[in-house]
């Protein structure tokens, strides 16, 4: 199992969460909530209003999201879903645990609030330079005050 930190449309209550609970795509077990230890710019960009974490450590905000434990099949699905490595790149980042629900099976360590975990995160270093000038967010909600509604793949 691998740990993945999601900050956008794959979180609970967001448009693509259905993929995280679709066991045909693999297993993803919600472990808790966290935020990036380093600051990053989180922008909403492109004609489909997609959330992107730009891989510019030290700029922006500590990004809030959810921590999942996923199996190899789900990790392969997420790589494909996220257009890895062209659109997003999967990298290890340090995530501070804010709230932990994970029960931890044998051999799996429990994380306490405020502990730091290494998680895979889909961020991007391949973005148009003008995205750096977009507003930065610390948390993503597809129906947030930003007014930039995410366009589902099925509707594109």
């Amino acid at each position: 199992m691998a740990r993945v930190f999601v900050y956008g449309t794959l979180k609970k209550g967001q448009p693509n969460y259905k993929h995280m609970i679709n066991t045909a795509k693999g297993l993803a077990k919600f472990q808790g909530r966290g935020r990036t230890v380093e600051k990053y710019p989180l922008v909403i960009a492109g004609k489909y209003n997609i959330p992107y974490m730009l891989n510019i450590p030290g700029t922006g905000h500590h990004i809030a999201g959810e921590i999942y434990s996923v199996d190899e099949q789900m990790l392969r699905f997420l790589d494909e879903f996220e257009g890895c490595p062209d659109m997003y790149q999967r990298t290890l980042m340090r995530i501070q645990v804010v709230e932990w629900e994970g029960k931890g099976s044998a051999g799996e360590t429990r994380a306490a609030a405020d502990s730091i975990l290494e998680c895979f995160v889909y961020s991007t270093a391949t973005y148009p330079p003008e995205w750096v000038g977009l507003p930065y967010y610390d948390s993503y909600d597809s129906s947030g005050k930003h007014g930039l509604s995410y366009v589902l793949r099925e509707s594109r």
Side-chain angles (χ1 to χ4, degrees):
M1 301 289 276
R3 286 204 173 112
V4 175
F5 175 78
V6 298
Y7 56 85
T9 65
L10 291 166
K11 294 187 308 184
K12 289 180 180 182
Q14 298 303 310
N16 288 316
Y17 176 65
K18 61 187 178 229
H19 299 300
M20 297 299 284
I21 56 174
N22 182 347
T23 54
K25 296 179 186 330
L27 297 176
K29 195 168 84 179
F30 178 77
Q31 298 286 286
R33 295 183 309 107
R35 63 187 197 139
T36 58
V37 169
E38 289 194 76
K39 294 179 177 182
Y40 290 92
L42 172 58
V43 301
I44 301 171
K47 62 181 176 179
Y48 303 122
N49 296 320
I50 297 171
Y52 292 93
M53 183 189 298
L54 307 184
N55 198 345
I56 310 172
T59 301
H61 302 287
H62 299 282
I63 308 302
E66 297 173 348
I67 302 164
Y68 287 84
S69 183
V70 301
D71 67 4
E72 196 61 40
Q73 182 185 351
M74 178 58 80
L75 198 58
R76 282 193 306 271
F77 165 77
L78 290 171
D79 281 352
E80 184 181 319
F81 182 79
E82 300 289 11
C84 188
D86 301 324
M87 190 158 110
Y88 290 95
Q89 296 80 48
R90 175 167 45 98
T91 56
L92 280 172
M93 286 187 189
R94 293 174 349 123
I95 303 299
Q96 178 183 9
V97 175
V98 173
E99 183 182 319
W100 191 254
E101 288 186 16
K103 298 293 182 268
S105 56
E108 189 177 49
T109 54
R110 261 187 75 81
D114 287 332
S115 62
I116 306 293
L117 300 175
E118 288 235 312
C119 298
F120 284 121
V121 180
Y122 292 90
S123 64
T124 185
T126 53
Y127 53 86
E130 60 270 18
W131 286 9
V132 176
L134 293 171
Y136 297 166
Y137 301 93
D138 61 358
S139 181
Y140 175 78
D141 183 342
S142 63
S143 55
K145 288 184 260 180
H146 50 70
L148 301 168
S149 295
Y150 174 77
V151 180
L152 285 168
R153 289 180 184 202
E154 306 87 78
S155 306
R156 296 179 191 168

